[in-house]
Amino acid sequence: MRGDGDGWVLSDNGAHYWGRHGAAGLLLRAPRPDGSRAILLQHRAAWSHQGGTWGLPGGARDSHETVEQAAVREAHEEAGLSAHQLTVRTSVVTAEVHGTGGPAWTYTTVIADVPTQVDTVPNRESSELRWVAEDEVTELPLHPGFAASWQRLREVAAAIPLQAGLQPDA
């Protein structure tokens, strides 16, 4: 179902950004057996904007949604994740662009945890979903926006311990 946020915003410099009310993505973390962290990444379908690159499940925010609600909804649509499987920890505005005749467009990354590397179900927007070791993320061809924000996101996430006591989805 299309929401009221679907559509392009034109920036002052003529670039287009998806999401009439901004956009949000979910940086989902899970523990690995060795105690390090894994990040859920989406290999974007070839037909999509910046297709063939790796990034986070995410997309346009609808007018009635918080950034957290939008990121969790997009993760459900693109990866089959349910809100009850994860714990939202924080959110970080990772891009802000001034648009023509309207408020600034923002992309917000929501950081959340799951207790294990849960199974995912890709939709047509994904060529693949993969749990990637945090130290190996930059070895993949990343979506330019994600690549530009990865180091900052990694620093923010490192300051937040993985949520303890989560129960895996039964």
Side-chain angles (χ1 to χ4, degrees):
M1 172 174 45
R2 290 180 56 94
D4 71 349
D6 287 352
W8 295 98
V9 170
L10 182 64
S11 72
D12 289 342
N13 69 4
H16 290 81
Y17 296 88
W18 183 251
R20 294 179 51 232
H21 307 288
L26 189 73
L27 191 158
L28 191 60
R29 311 179 308 166
R32 298 182 61 204
D34 66 3
S36 64
R37 295 175 178 155
I39 307 296
L40 180 64
L41 294 182
Q42 175 193 48
H43 192 202
R44 300 170 62 83
W47 61 264
S48 68
H49 182 65
Q50 300 291 339
T53 62
W54 290 84
L56 304 174
R61 184 177 145 210
D62 291 334
S63 62
H64 64 278
E65 292 179 309
T66 65
V67 292
E68 293 83 5
Q69 290 168 332
V72 170
R73 174 184 50 77
E74 287 287 340
H76 175 71
E77 292 173 6
E78 296 179 3
L81 298 169
S82 298
H84 73 275
Q85 290 179 283
L86 54 93
T87 300
V88 170
R89 302 304 306 276
T90 194
S91 59
V92 180
V93 175
T94 51
E96 183 171 348
V97 178
H98 294 282
T100 57
W105 178 91
T106 58
Y107 188 95
T108 303
T109 301
V110 175
I111 299 172
D113 296 339
V114 288
T116 63
Q117 295 177 39
V118 296
D119 291 334
T120 58
V121 180
N123 74 355
R124 65 182 189 84
E125 296 179 42
S126 306
S127 294
E128 178 185 357
L129 295 164
R130 183 188 306 170
W131 286 100
V132 177
E134 187 177 50
D135 291 340
E136 298 172 4
V137 167
T138 58
E139 295 174 15
L140 297 169
L142 300 180
H143 179 283
F146 179 55
S149 63
W150 172 239
Q151 186 58 42
R152 179 172 172 228
L153 288 169
R154 191 169 183 189
E155 290 168 4
V156 170
I160 304 167
L162 279 173
Q163 183 69 33
L166 294 175
Q167 297 300 312
D169 192 29

